[in-house]
Amino acid sequence: MTPTQCPPDLKQAALNARDLSYSPYSKFRVGAAVLGEDGRIAVGANVENASYPAGICAERVAYPRALMEGLKPVAIAVTSDNHDPISPCGVCRQFLSEFGSDLVVHMVGKERVVTATIGELLPMGFGSKELTG
Ligand code: THU
């Protein structure tokens, strides 16, 4: 289901955030932008590391930034320099699922945006319910 269309300012914020990417190893720039309930936006980009696994995805930069700014996230847009939309990696799906299944994920390409909820992107995920039995 497509809950909403990607707001133009959220899409633009994700596109602009690519300029903040630190990706000397993959040269794959990713930008993300989180929309808060009150309309505020927090951005992030991927930040890589010479010890490759220590790098972090754009989504996991943007989302905690949004939380620290006091936003209540309702949507996240993610984009790269690819023509087609990219979708969040498995770790990011797990990370974002922590905060509920309703978060709207807009995957922004040059000619189209694909939209899904995080619950749709990570069905049957592991969560806090498992820890409490
Ligand atoms: N990357 C993201 O930032 N988000 C994703 O959802 C997929 C991958 C980054 C990680 C790494 O810096 C680069 O893209 C290549 O994998």
Side-chain angles (χ1 to χ4, degrees):
M1 285 298 100
T2 303
T4 54
Q5 280 204 315
C6 185
D9 57 341
L10 186 67
K11 178 179 169 180
Q12 195 56 53
L15 290 166
N16 292 347
R18 293 175 304 180
D19 293 340
L20 302 169
S21 170
Y22 175 73
S23 42
Y25 305 107
S26 72
K27 311 234 185 304
F28 190 78
R29 304 188 315 155
V30 182
V34 174
L35 177 65
E37 209 174 57
D38 62 2
R40 284 187 292 153
I41 289 172
V43 300
N46 54 330
V47 181
E48 299 184 344
N49 193 281
S51 175
Y52 293 2
I56 188 165
C57 291
E59 297 92 319
R60 281 178 289 130
V61 172
Y63 198 97
R65 276 196 84 194
L67 294 183
M68 295 307 105
E69 295 297 329
L71 273 65
K72 294 192 179 2
V74 295
I76 183 168
V78 58
T79 195
S80 74
D81 295 313
N82 283 5
H83 180 268
D84 290 327
I86 62 159
S87 70
C89 79
V91 174
C92 288
R93 291 177 197 214
Q94 177 69 29
F95 184 91
L96 297 171
S97 292
E98 176 69 20
F99 308 97
S101 55
D102 294 337
L103 182 77
V104 176
V105 182
H106 299 293
M107 295 157 274
V108 177
K110 295 218 185 322
E111 288 173 4
R112 66 193 173 103
V113 178
V114 176
T115 299
T117 64
I118 192 64
E120 289 170 325
L121 293 179
L122 188 65
M124 299 177 70
F126 181 88
S128 59
K129 62 191 181 306
E130 271 72 44
L131 294 177
T132 53

